[in-house]
Amino acid sequence: MKILFVSATLLELRPLLEIAVPDGDNKFSITSQSGDTLEVLITGVGLVSMATNLSLHLAKNNYDLVLNVGVAGAFNRQFPLGSLWQVSRDYLADLGVEMGQKFISMNQLGLSSESDILLFPRMEKHSDLLKDLPMAIGVSKNTGSGRVSTIAYMQRQYKAEVESMEGAAFFYVCSKFECQFAQLRAISNYVGERDKRKWDLKGSVTVLNEFLLKSFIENS
């Protein structure tokens, strides 16, 4: 099986990349113990970087499975820092306009349908690889939520549980290339908390990479 791991930053996959071989700019390769081909693509942060660099890569390469893997903030404070989740659906949550103190999405304005901003994974095959992970609803934005009003809107409008800056763009691109794809996120912080002393970035990266090593490299 040929698998692609896609992440925004080197930091999020640093433990995994210690056993990887560089294969061009921001690209790496790993051979699993069973001989499967595993590749890593680092896209850069944000929706545009993810969409552009992943599209360029998938236009030239085919995979049995593509996974967006990284850290995320949690809206739900019942999600422990360092816990690992599969994103069940993801919204392009900042596609819209501001009207006074309110944010109005494109579909609320009648300029798009909900399907234009609501994206789902596609895992008809290989779903057994992720079957033990709990599910969470995601939102993706180029600007991390920090205002009380924004956080309340994301939870009210989308039932958001986790937030990233790339996930929905990843879903969108993969759906166009008709891949098998999913998104995994380890919780590094709570949305709105900017004091990084209260984050657990190291722990979340460790949990994420240990899962990838065990599930796809050591036991694949």
Side-chain angles (χ1 to χ4, degrees):
M1 186 161 64
K2 189 176 181 181
I3 301 172
L4 177 66
F5 298 140
V6 183
S7 186
T9 67
L10 292 166
L11 172 64
E12 290 164 289
L13 291 183
R14 183 165 290 165
L16 190 69
L17 295 179
E18 290 179 359
I19 63 170
V21 176
D23 189 23
D25 291 342
N26 295 316
K27 300 174 187 176
F28 303 84
S29 61
I30 306 168
T31 300
S32 74
Q33 291 184 1
S34 65
D36 288 338
T37 299
L38 308 171
E39 297 181 1
V40 177
L41 174 67
I42 306 298
T43 62
V45 175
L47 297 167
V48 173
S49 290
M50 171 61 73
T52 301
N53 291 310
L54 180 58
S55 293
L56 290 170
H57 189 79
L58 291 181
K60 299 177 181 178
N61 299 275
N62 295 313
Y63 297 92
D64 297 298
L65 178 62
V66 183
L67 295 177
N68 181 204
V69 293
V71 300
F75 290 93
N76 189 336
R77 289 182 177 257
Q78 298 303 309
F79 287 16
L81 297 182
S83 59
L84 186 61
W85 299 78
Q86 182 181 172
V87 177
S88 60
R89 62 181 185 265
D90 208 325
Y91 292 87
L92 287 166
D94 59 0
L95 184 61
V97 300
E98 291 182 343
M99 291 186 175
Q101 298 301 311
K102 294 183 179 181
F103 176 83
I104 311 296
S105 68
M106 282 292 119
N107 63 300
Q108 289 175 315
L109 290 168
L111 298 178
S112 68
S113 64
E114 186 176 50
S115 62
D116 293 322
I117 65 169
L118 171 58
L119 293 309
F120 296 92
R122 177 179 293 158
M123 284 288 287
E124 292 89 353
K125 304 175 182 178
H126 317 304
S127 60
D128 57 311
L129 295 171
L130 308 177
K131 61 183 176 61
D132 294 328
L133 292 179
M135 295 285 193
I137 299 170
V139 291
S140 298
K141 301 170 63 204
N142 278 317
T143 302
S145 298
R147 296 173 181 162
V148 172
S149 59
T150 301
I151 293 171
Y153 176 83
M154 292 297 147
Q155 293 178 296
R156 181 178 66 253
Q157 179 68 21
Y158 303 119
K159 311 301 182 187
E161 294 173 308
V162 299
E163 179 179 81
S164 76
M165 300 177 79
E166 299 86 21
F170 168 84
F171 277 178
Y172 185 87
V173 170
C174 286
S175 67
K176 296 302 182 183
F177 281 91
E178 300 184 346
C179 306
Q180 293 288 303
F181 59 95
Q183 179 186 170
L184 311 183
R185 294 285 172 176
I187 305 304
S188 60
N189 61 285
Y190 295 114
V191 173
E193 178 57 74
R194 306 318 305 168
D195 183 353
K196 291 191 176 182
R197 293 173 298 178
K198 298 180 180 180
W199 292 26
D200 188 11
L201 185 58
K202 181 179 179 181
S204 60
V205 167
T206 297
V207 167
L208 173 65
N209 283 262
E210 285 181 349
F211 176 83
L212 297 177
L213 284 165
K214 181 178 180 181
S215 300
F216 295 97
I217 297 172
E218 296 173 354
N219 296 329
S220 59

